[in-house]
Amino acid sequence: MPSTPYPKGSSMAYDSAKQTSVLDGDELIGRLTAAGLDIRPIPAGPSHTDVRHLGGTSAVPRVFRGAVNGWPACRRWRPGLLREAHGDQEVTALMDLPSTGVLLPQDQAAYERCLSFGEFLDAMQASPADSPCYLAYKRPEGLFPEDDYDFSIFGTGADADTDTRVWVGSAGTRSALHSDLKDNLFCQIWGEKLVILLGWQDSAAAYPFPDNLVNSRIDFMDLDLDGYPLLRSAVLYAQIVRPGDVILIPRGCWHDFTALTPSISINHWYGPSVRARDYIRLLLSLGPRYWTPVARDFVVHGVLRRPEKTAFFFSPPSTGKRLYDLVRWGNFSRGNDPTG
């Protein structure tokens, strides 16, 4: 059954003696609801934890409240303990990021800094929300012991088709609206985040960039509904996730994360990828103005092999380059699949 929409002015405040929200997730949801969007709580997942049958492009997202409260990570992955254990290790983090917009004003490399993990953790807790820092898309080996988490409880396996990443950032860190190839289990370990989701079936309402079908032009922090009117007829889901919570994000489902406090999360991709024909069908449905940049990038970045800019957060290949990979290698997602 569909979830009941949030009433205007509904309260979802996070009351915690340990950490106070820097950004107000309740206010952000209320602002979008007041603008006329149909925003609903994420439906609760079933009591059992085998999620393999819950994925796919037609599936709805699910939330499992407190599902990983028993993981050692929820006790051990706190800044002070992590600093004691691994503070001297060198990391490469993104520093002084923009807090609005969906494209980076500079190439992503311009934000990268090498520093000790301890220095980063200090910066993570001190950075203002309008100048966030992020140690993102990091494989856990070396800093985050494998014994501290166990995705096998969800029945997803840990073979070559899965991939696990850790995300550590200050309040204000964001991954703007985008979609991933595989089903995704997102686990909040410390702090809190606001997640906004839009189903694959409403991909036209995500207004993908003409040259990149997996990144949206929509900025929920500065929403222009006149520019993106299809959002008014789409169903969105929103939830504040807290330590121990798990969100199942079906493959293809568009998702936007904003850290409301300093935050540590871990996610796990698994299962089959969105099919190339589904992306091609989306491309055809979006119309001719999408086809010219795709043809250009097919030639420039595929045939001529010219490098692409990284203006998106952890930029995937352009749609044209992905079509070239489909023709050349038989793999539409050759450069976009972290498990490949």
Side-chain angles (χ1 to χ4, degrees):
M1 284 184 68
S3 302
T4 303
Y6 283 121
K8 294 182 180 180
S10 63
S11 177
M12 294 180 58
Y14 178 38
D15 181 15
S16 171
K18 296 182 180 179
Q19 194 173 19
T20 302
S21 296
V22 175
L23 301 176
D24 189 338
D26 182 36
E27 190 274 334
L28 293 173
I29 292 174
R31 185 194 311 165
L32 297 176
T33 302
L37 296 184
D38 183 358
I39 298 187
R40 309 181 181 192
I42 300 173
S47 56
H48 56 81
T49 54
D50 189 330
V51 301
R52 286 172 294 182
H53 69 291
L54 296 176
T57 51
S58 62
V60 296
R62 302 282 184 166
V63 59
F64 300 83
R65 286 292 194 189
V68 298
N69 275 338
W71 279 3
C74 289
R75 301 189 307 273
R76 298 173 181 168
W77 294 9
R78 299 168 183 268
L81 296 176
L82 290 172
R83 188 184 297 105
E84 289 178 12
H86 307 290
D88 292 336
Q89 291 196 38
E90 186 176 274
V91 297
T92 300
L94 302 174
M95 309 298 290
D96 299 317
L97 288 165
S99 59
T100 59
V102 296
L103 290 174
L104 296 173
Q106 306 177 68
D107 189 280
Q108 182 171 295
Y111 301 93
E112 293 179 351
R113 303 286 186 274
C114 290
L115 69 171
S116 74
F117 189 36
E119 290 171 330
F120 172 78
L121 290 170
D122 290 340
M124 175 194 76
Q125 294 179 276
S127 293
D130 60 357
S131 184
C133 59
Y134 218 175
L135 180 61
Y137 199 60
K138 179 171 179 56
R139 287 200 164 96
E141 295 83 4
L143 293 177
F144 303 93
E146 187 175 351
D147 290 343
D148 286 354
Y149 57 92
D150 180 14
F151 284 99
S152 68
I153 65 173
F154 297 101
T156 61
D159 54 30
D161 292 327
T162 66
D163 190 60
T164 301
R165 303 282 176 150
V166 178
W167 310 77
V168 186
S170 62
T173 48
R174 303 173 56 219
S175 53
L177 192 66
H178 67 285
S179 67
D180 291 336
L181 297 171
K182 294 177 177 285
D183 295 320
N184 182 7
L185 283 171
F186 174 89
C187 306
Q188 188 64 14
I189 302 299
W190 183 76
E192 63 173 14
K193 287 184 174 179
L194 171 64
V195 56
I196 302 173
L197 305 171
L198 176 72
W200 169 260
Q201 70 276 9
D202 285 324
S203 286
Y207 290 89
F209 278 91
D211 59 349
N212 203 309
L213 287 184
V214 298
N215 287 87
S216 168
R217 290 176 280 161
I218 293 169
D219 181 0
F220 285 116
M221 298 299 106
D222 186 21
L223 184 60
D224 174 16
L225 273 180
D226 291 333
Y228 306 117
L230 290 177
L231 270 178
R232 291 191 175 96
S233 58
V235 173
L236 295 97
Y237 298 94
Q239 201 88 31
I240 296 174
V241 289
R242 297 159 183 151
D245 290 346
V246 177
I247 303 288
L248 169 62
I249 305 172
R251 56 185 175 271
C253 179
W254 296 81
H255 48 287
D256 177 296
F257 281 98
T258 299
L260 305 176
T261 70
S263 171
I264 300 176
S265 317
I266 186 170
N267 84 292
H268 183 72
W269 287 291
Y270 65 95
S273 297
V274 177
R275 299 170 299 183
R277 64 187 180 188
D278 292 326
Y279 279 116
I280 293 171
R281 189 179 296 117
L282 172 60
L283 174 63
L284 294 175
S285 72
L286 291 171
R289 69 191 185 93
Y290 276 75
W291 304 344
T292 298
V294 169
R296 177 201 63 210
D297 292 339
F298 183 98
V299 174
V300 173
H301 303 301
V303 177
L304 300 180
R305 301 183 181 180
R306 293 180 182 171
E308 299 188 85
K309 294 181 179 179
T310 54
F312 296 105
F313 186 58
F314 295 101
S315 292
S318 63
T319 306
K321 174 60 165 60
R322 295 175 72 179
L323 281 174
Y324 173 83
D325 288 340
L326 178 64
V327 173
R328 177 68 177 84
W329 307 102
N331 185 353
F332 182 77
S333 300
R334 183 170 181 260
N336 187 214
D337 185 350
T339 69

